[in-house]
Structures are given as C-alpha cells and as structure tokens.
Amino acid sequence: MSLPVFSVERLPAAGSTTLDGPEGKHAATVRRLRVGEELLLSDAQGGMARCVVEAAERDSLRLAVSETWHEPQPELRVRVVQALVKGDRGELAVELATEAGVDAVVPWRASRCVAKWDDGPRGAKALARWRSTAAAAAKQARRAWTPEVTEPVSTRQLAALIAEADAALVLHESATGPLTSADLPDSGEVLLVVGPEGGITDDELTALGDAGAQVTRLGHTVLRASTAAAVALGALGAVTTRWS
C-alpha cells in the first residue's frame, strides 16, 4: 500500500520534525498513525520527504526524516481550461482532472455557463473551493505537485493564452478529427479546453480557432462538462509519453 501524504509549507531538513496543525491532527486522530509507521510530506511544489513516526501526540506527530527528494515537472505540461460548472460538478471536474494528472486548471467564464462567478466574495469562495479540491485530490493521488488553479478568464483572455501555448485543443462534438490524432509537441504546454453544459458558442469556437486552437472530439458521444477533462487526459496519456 502506498504511503499517505500530508501537506507542509516547507520540507523539513534531515533529522526530526513535528507535523502539527490541521494536517497533524488528521494524521494523529483520523488516520491514527502510530510509532514506527511511515508517511510522506509534500510541499506541493515537487518536494517530498519520507518520514517515520517517532511519537504520536493527541493532535500531532513527531517524525524522523529518512529521505527527501524533488520530483521535476514533466516536459509536456497539460493545463485544463474548465468552463464554470454549476453546483459541485465544478469541484468534481477539478478532482478528477487532478487525479488524472493535470498540471494546472484555468476556470473559464464561457457564454453559456450556468454558474456565474462574480469578482466579489461569492466568486472568491467558489475559486477557493476549486483550489481546496485540487489540493485534496493531489494528496489522494500521492502527487508531488498540486495543480495551480488560476483566476477565472474571459474568452478574450483565453484566446491570448491559446496564442502563447505550444498547442491548444478544444473539445467539441462538431470536430471531425479525434483527440488522439491532434498535433502535439514533445515538450512545453498544452491547453485542453472543456466547454460548459450549454456548449461552446459558434463565436467562441471561431475566436479560439483563430487564436490557434485545434478543435477535436473524444468520440461519438457527448460527455458531461465535469468528466470530459479526465477522459481527455486519459486519451492524451495513450498517445504521448506524458505519464509513462
């Protein structure tokens, strides 16, 4: 069984350290880790530390650091542009994409989004939920890197991101070419654009295409906006060395 992962702001140096705060309480009272058991600490930026529990307190653990290392980012990074999805389906999309290996998530304010994120407290709260979901999913998947969830973008801002990316793919049912035949680089960044429940408008599709995006499809069926990214990441893994 793989070791559980707990988040820290900074990896400890060799020797002993204490895992306290919410992570320490979870390790001690929920996971009930005991003396002699091992765990991993992650700084969410590629740094990992293997530790052995030396003492278990009520809401913290004292640890002996046995090994530290840094996992580099992959040569080919995939950033999912996820249109805002209503309810908890947006968080589901982030969770599944994180577990599938995405490197970053960009919320997109597409025209037909049912969910609306304003620039006030309500939008900030929704963004915080996406970020918290990504952090929790990265720990669940034992990932060394937690995907960044950026501020939401408009279609105009998305077009600018596409123009700067090494490749961009827009999932759309009208496309004739499958995702697996898309022209992809060996390194750099790929943007993977997932539309909202109501679909991407013709104007948006034109704007993204003019910016350089390739319009592709996953198959002959239409997936939910909350699951399409994870399925697409799996398909990309089959035709690249991204997750090999």
Tab-separated table of all heavy atoms in Angstrom, residues 78-115:
chain	number	residue	atom	x	y	z
A	78	VAL	N	0.152	19.810	-19.141
A	78	VAL	CA	-1.221	19.949	-19.640
A	78	VAL	C	-2.010	20.835	-18.686
A	78	VAL	O	-2.109	20.547	-17.489
A	78	VAL	CB	-1.921	18.585	-19.781
A	78	VAL	CG1	-3.336	18.774	-20.329
A	78	VAL	CG2	-1.118	17.656	-20.685
A	79	ARG	N	-2.556	21.905	-19.247
A	79	ARG	CA	-3.384	22.818	-18.466
A	79	ARG	C	-4.818	22.710	-18.971
A	79	ARG	O	-5.094	22.951	-20.148
A	79	ARG	CB	-2.889	24.256	-18.629
A	79	ARG	CG	-3.640	25.269	-17.754
A	79	ARG	CD	-3.313	26.706	-18.101
A	79	ARG	NE	-1.908	27.024	-17.939
A	79	ARG	CZ	-1.444	28.273	-17.818
A	79	ARG	NH1	-2.280	29.300	-17.850
A	79	ARG	NH2	-0.162	28.497	-17.695
A	80	VAL	N	-5.723	22.329	-18.091
A	80	VAL	CA	-7.132	22.219	-18.459
A	80	VAL	C	-7.821	23.562	-18.258
A	80	VAL	O	-7.722	24.172	-17.180
A	80	VAL	CB	-7.849	21.137	-17.620
A	80	VAL	CG1	-9.370	21.292	-17.722
A	80	VAL	CG2	-7.445	19.748	-18.101
A	81	VAL	N	-8.472	24.027	-19.303
A	81	VAL	CA	-9.327	25.210	-19.209
A	81	VAL	C	-10.747	24.687	-19.036
A	81	VAL	O	-11.339	24.153	-19.964
A	81	VAL	CB	-9.208	26.086	-20.471
A	81	VAL	CG1	-10.149	27.287	-20.359
A	81	VAL	CG2	-7.769	26.531	-20.676
A	82	GLN	N	-11.272	24.819	-17.826
A	82	GLN	CA	-12.559	24.239	-17.480
A	82	GLN	C	-13.622	25.328	-17.374
A	82	GLN	O	-13.541	26.212	-16.526
A	82	GLN	CB	-12.458	23.491	-16.143
A	82	GLN	CG	-13.762	22.913	-15.620
A	82	GLN	CD	-14.284	21.791	-16.494
A	82	GLN	OE1	-13.590	20.802	-16.724
A	82	GLN	NE2	-15.519	21.925	-16.966
A	83	ALA	N	-14.616	25.265	-18.240
A	83	ALA	CA	-15.728	26.210	-18.130
A	83	ALA	C	-16.433	26.019	-16.795
A	83	ALA	O	-16.504	24.903	-16.267
A	83	ALA	CB	-16.711	25.995	-19.279
A	84	LEU	N	-16.932	27.097	-16.234
A	84	LEU	CA	-17.608	27.034	-14.943
A	84	LEU	C	-18.811	26.099	-15.028
A	84	LEU	O	-19.598	26.162	-15.979
A	84	LEU	CB	-18.070	28.426	-14.519
A	84	LEU	CG	-16.986	29.507	-14.455
A	84	LEU	CD1	-17.582	30.812	-13.934
A	84	LEU	CD2	-15.827	29.059	-13.598
A	85	VAL	N	-18.930	25.238	-14.024
A	85	VAL	CA	-19.994	24.240	-13.984
A	85	VAL	C	-20.797	24.450	-12.712
A	85	VAL	O	-20.249	24.741	-11.652
A	85	VAL	CB	-19.414	22.813	-14.029
A	85	VAL	CG1	-20.510	21.783	-14.167
A	85	VAL	CG2	-18.421	22.674	-15.179
A	86	LYS	N	-22.106	24.269	-12.802
A	86	LYS	CA	-22.977	24.549	-11.667
A	86	LYS	C	-22.793	23.545	-10.540
A	86	LYS	O	-22.403	22.388	-10.752
A	86	LYS	CB	-24.443	24.553	-12.114
A	86	LYS	CG	-24.948	23.195	-12.601
A	86	LYS	CD	-26.402	23.278	-13.043
A	86	LYS	CE	-26.919	21.932	-13.561
A	86	LYS	NZ	-28.314	22.010	-13.993
A	87	GLY	N	-23.097	24.012	-9.318
A	87	GLY	CA	-23.068	23.152	-8.146
A	87	GLY	C	-21.692	22.580	-7.871
A	87	GLY	O	-20.668	23.216	-8.124
A	88	ASP	N	-21.714	21.345	-7.356
A	88	ASP	CA	-20.434	20.710	-7.024
A	88	ASP	C	-19.814	19.979	-8.204
A	88	ASP	O	-18.787	19.323	-8.066
A	88	ASP	CB	-20.610	19.747	-5.855
A	88	ASP	CG	-21.629	18.645	-6.134
A	88	ASP	OD1	-22.164	18.596	-7.261
A	88	ASP	OD2	-21.887	17.841	-5.222
A	89	ARG	N	-20.406	20.107	-9.388
A	89	ARG	CA	-19.825	19.447	-10.557
A	89	ARG	C	-18.511	20.097	-10.984
A	89	ARG	O	-17.657	19.442	-11.575
A	89	ARG	CB	-20.824	19.441	-11.721
A	89	ARG	CG	-21.997	18.507	-11.500
A	89	ARG	CD	-22.806	18.305	-12.773
A	89	ARG	NE	-23.892	17.359	-12.577
A	89	ARG	CZ	-23.753	16.037	-12.635
A	89	ARG	NH1	-22.558	15.525	-12.888
A	89	ARG	NH2	-24.769	15.243	-12.458
A	90	GLY	N	-18.358	21.374	-10.681
A	90	GLY	CA	-17.088	22.023	-10.971
A	90	GLY	C	-15.974	21.440	-10.120
A	90	GLY	O	-14.858	21.190	-10.603
A	91	GLU	N	-16.271	21.217	-8.848
A	91	GLU	CA	-15.285	20.612	-7.960
A	91	GLU	C	-14.990	19.175	-8.379
A	91	GLU	O	-13.841	18.713	-8.289
A	91	GLU	CB	-15.788	20.669	-6.519
A	91	GLU	CG	-15.838	22.097	-5.974
A	91	GLU	CD	-16.860	22.253	-4.856
A	91	GLU	OE1	-16.802	21.451	-3.905
A	91	GLU	OE2	-17.705	23.169	-4.952
A	92	LEU	N	-16.017	18.477	-8.873
A	92	LEU	CA	-15.793	17.125	-9.373
A	92	LEU	C	-14.856	17.138	-10.572
A	92	LEU	O	-13.958	16.299	-10.688
A	92	LEU	CB	-17.125	16.478	-9.761
A	92	LEU	CG	-17.045	15.088	-10.417
A	92	LEU	CD1	-16.418	14.079	-9.454
A	92	LEU	CD2	-18.436	14.624	-10.851
A	93	ALA	N	-15.039	18.105	-11.459
A	93	ALA	CA	-14.168	18.218	-12.629
A	93	ALA	C	-12.720	18.436	-12.206
A	93	ALA	O	-11.795	17.821	-12.755
A	93	ALA	CB	-14.637	19.364	-13.523
A	94	VAL	N	-12.498	19.311	-11.230
A	94	VAL	CA	-11.149	19.583	-10.735
A	94	VAL	C	-10.562	18.347	-10.063
A	94	VAL	O	-9.386	18.001	-10.261
A	94	VAL	CB	-11.163	20.775	-9.765
A	94	VAL	CG1	-9.797	20.969	-9.116
A	94	VAL	CG2	-11.577	22.049	-10.490
A	95	GLU	N	-11.374	17.675	-9.274
A	95	GLU	CA	-10.910	16.477	-8.572
A	95	GLU	C	-10.463	15.395	-9.556
A	95	GLU	O	-9.359	14.841	-9.439
A	95	GLU	CB	-12.025	15.932	-7.679
A	95	GLU	CG	-11.661	14.650	-6.948
A	95	GLU	CD	-12.814	14.131	-6.099
A	95	GLU	OE1	-13.968	14.207	-6.560
A	95	GLU	OE2	-12.550	13.652	-4.989
A	96	LEU	N	-11.308	15.105	-10.538
A	96	LEU	CA	-10.987	14.055	-11.488
A	96	LEU	C	-9.775	14.425	-12.349
A	96	LEU	O	-8.914	13.575	-12.621
A	96	LEU	CB	-12.198	13.771	-12.387
A	96	LEU	CG	-13.428	13.182	-11.695
A	96	LEU	CD1	-14.571	13.023	-12.693
A	96	LEU	CD2	-13.097	11.842	-11.046
A	97	ALA	N	-9.700	15.672	-12.776
A	97	ALA	CA	-8.563	16.098	-13.588
A	97	ALA	C	-7.261	16.031	-12.797
A	97	ALA	O	-6.214	15.644	-13.328
A	97	ALA	CB	-8.799	17.509	-14.113
A	98	THR	N	-7.317	16.409	-11.528
A	98	THR	CA	-6.119	16.341	-10.681
A	98	THR	C	-5.662	14.902	-10.508
A	98	THR	O	-4.469	14.589	-10.643
A	98	THR	CB	-6.395	16.972	-9.308
A	98	THR	OG1	-6.746	18.349	-9.477
A	98	THR	CG2	-5.172	16.882	-8.415
A	99	GLU	N	-6.586	14.010	-10.235
A	99	GLU	CA	-6.228	12.603	-10.081
A	99	GLU	C	-5.713	12.019	-11.391
A	99	GLU	O	-4.891	11.086	-11.384
A	99	GLU	CB	-7.431	11.807	-9.573
A	99	GLU	CG	-7.816	12.165	-8.145
A	99	GLU	CD	-9.040	11.411	-7.659
A	99	GLU	OE1	-9.613	10.634	-8.448
A	99	GLU	OE2	-9.422	11.592	-6.482
A	100	ALA	N	-6.169	12.564	-12.522
A	100	ALA	CA	-5.726	12.080	-13.832
A	100	ALA	C	-4.387	12.669	-14.251
A	100	ALA	O	-3.825	12.249	-15.259
A	100	ALA	CB	-6.782	12.393	-14.894
A	101	GLY	N	-3.873	13.652	-13.492
A	101	GLY	CA	-2.533	14.152	-13.748
A	101	GLY	C	-2.399	15.542	-14.315
A	101	GLY	O	-1.315	15.930	-14.751
A	102	VAL	N	-3.456	16.334	-14.330
A	102	VAL	CA	-3.375	17.683	-14.899
A	102	VAL	C	-2.364	18.529	-14.119
A	102	VAL	O	-2.158	18.326	-12.912
A	102	VAL	CB	-4.759	18.350	-14.897
A	102	VAL	CG1	-5.166	18.800	-13.491
A	102	VAL	CG2	-4.801	19.522	-15.850
A	103	ASP	N	-1.734	19.478	-14.820
A	103	ASP	CA	-0.721	20.322	-14.191
A	103	ASP	C	-1.262	21.660	-13.711
A	103	ASP	O	-0.669	22.280	-12.828
A	103	ASP	CB	0.427	20.552	-15.173
A	103	ASP	CG	1.126	19.254	-15.537
A	103	ASP	OD1	1.727	18.639	-14.642
A	103	ASP	OD2	1.036	18.831	-16.699
A	104	ALA	N	-2.343	22.133	-14.304
A	104	ALA	CA	-2.951	23.396	-13.898
A	104	ALA	C	-4.386	23.430	-14.404
A	104	ALA	O	-4.731	22.735	-15.364
A	104	ALA	CB	-2.168	24.592	-14.431
A	105	VAL	N	-5.206	24.241	-13.743
A	105	VAL	CA	-6.614	24.390	-14.121
A	105	VAL	C	-6.934	25.868	-14.241
A	105	VAL	O	-6.582	26.667	-13.368
A	105	VAL	CB	-7.557	23.744	-13.082
A	105	VAL	CG1	-9.021	23.971	-13.462
A	105	VAL	CG2	-7.269	22.249	-12.938
A	106	VAL	N	-7.595	26.229	-15.341
A	106	VAL	CA	-7.998	27.615	-15.586
A	106	VAL	C	-9.524	27.669	-15.666
A	106	VAL	O	-10.111	27.114	-16.593
A	106	VAL	CB	-7.405	28.163	-16.896
A	106	VAL	CG1	-7.840	29.613	-17.116
A	106	VAL	CG2	-5.891	28.045	-16.903
A	107	PRO	N	-10.205	28.290	-14.704
A	107	PRO	CA	-11.659	28.446	-14.819
A	107	PRO	C	-11.998	29.411	-15.954
A	107	PRO	O	-11.376	30.462	-16.095
A	107	PRO	CB	-12.065	29.040	-13.457
A	107	PRO	CG	-10.889	28.796	-12.557
A	107	PRO	CD	-9.688	28.830	-13.437
A	108	TRP	N	-12.993	29.042	-16.755
A	108	TRP	CA	-13.363	29.844	-17.935
A	108	TRP	C	-14.801	30.325	-17.812
A	108	TRP	O	-15.727	29.534	-17.644
A	108	TRP	CB	-13.180	29.006	-19.200
A	108	TRP	CG	-13.631	29.657	-20.473
A	108	TRP	CD1	-13.651	30.984	-20.769
A	108	TRP	CD2	-14.129	28.991	-21.636
A	108	TRP	NE1	-14.125	31.203	-22.039
A	108	TRP	CE2	-14.421	29.982	-22.604
A	108	TRP	CE3	-14.345	27.639	-21.967
A	108	TRP	CZ2	-14.938	29.672	-23.856
A	108	TRP	CZ3	-14.852	27.337	-23.216
A	108	TRP	CH2	-15.132	28.344	-24.153
A	109	ARG	N	-15.001	31.635	-17.946
A	109	ARG	CA	-16.331	32.235	-17.939
A	109	ARG	C	-16.899	32.203	-19.356
A	109	ARG	O	-16.963	33.215	-20.039
A	109	ARG	CB	-16.264	33.660	-17.414
A	109	ARG	CG	-15.971	33.763	-15.918
A	109	ARG	CD	-15.655	35.183	-15.519
A	109	ARG	NE	-15.649	35.383	-14.071
A	109	ARG	CZ	-14.995	36.342	-13.455
A	109	ARG	NH1	-14.262	37.208	-14.167
A	109	ARG	NH2	-15.036	36.470	-12.145
A	110	ALA	N	-17.306	31.048	-19.800
A	110	ALA	CA	-17.870	30.907	-21.143
A	110	ALA	C	-19.283	31.492	-21.178
A	110	ALA	O	-19.952	31.625	-20.146
A	110	ALA	CB	-17.894	29.440	-21.545
A	111	SER	N	-19.746	31.814	-22.374
A	111	SER	CA	-21.036	32.498	-22.526
A	111	SER	C	-22.197	31.690	-21.957
A	111	SER	O	-23.123	32.251	-21.361
A	111	SER	CB	-21.298	32.790	-24.015
A	111	SER	OG	-20.338	33.674	-24.538
A	112	ARG	N	-22.177	30.386	-22.167
A	112	ARG	CA	-23.316	29.560	-21.767
A	112	ARG	C	-23.145	28.889	-20.406
A	112	ARG	O	-23.860	27.943	-20.092
A	112	ARG	CB	-23.571	28.497	-22.837
A	112	ARG	CG	-24.074	29.076	-24.159
A	112	ARG	CD	-24.197	28.004	-25.213
A	112	ARG	NE	-24.758	28.534	-26.462
A	112	ARG	CZ	-24.754	27.875	-27.621
A	112	ARG	NH1	-24.206	26.658	-27.693
A	112	ARG	NH2	-25.267	28.425	-28.705
A	113	CYS	N	-22.204	29.373	-19.611
A	113	CYS	CA	-22.040	28.823	-18.263
A	113	CYS	C	-23.283	29.115	-17.425
A	113	CYS	O	-23.741	30.260	-17.349
A	113	CYS	CB	-20.822	29.429	-17.571
A	113	CYS	SG	-19.242	28.833	-18.201
A	114	VAL	N	-23.810	28.075	-16.793
A	114	VAL	CA	-24.919	28.271	-15.865
A	114	VAL	C	-24.400	28.926	-14.593
A	114	VAL	O	-25.023	29.834	-14.031
A	114	VAL	CB	-25.611	26.934	-15.560
A	114	VAL	CG1	-26.711	27.115	-14.515
A	114	VAL	CG2	-26.180	26.326	-16.840
A	115	ALA	N	-23.248	28.468	-14.124
A	115	ALA	CA	-22.623	29.057	-12.939
A	115	ALA	C	-22.018	30.413	-13.311
A	115	ALA	O	-21.459	30.582	-14.394
A	115	ALA	CB	-21.537	28.134	-12.404
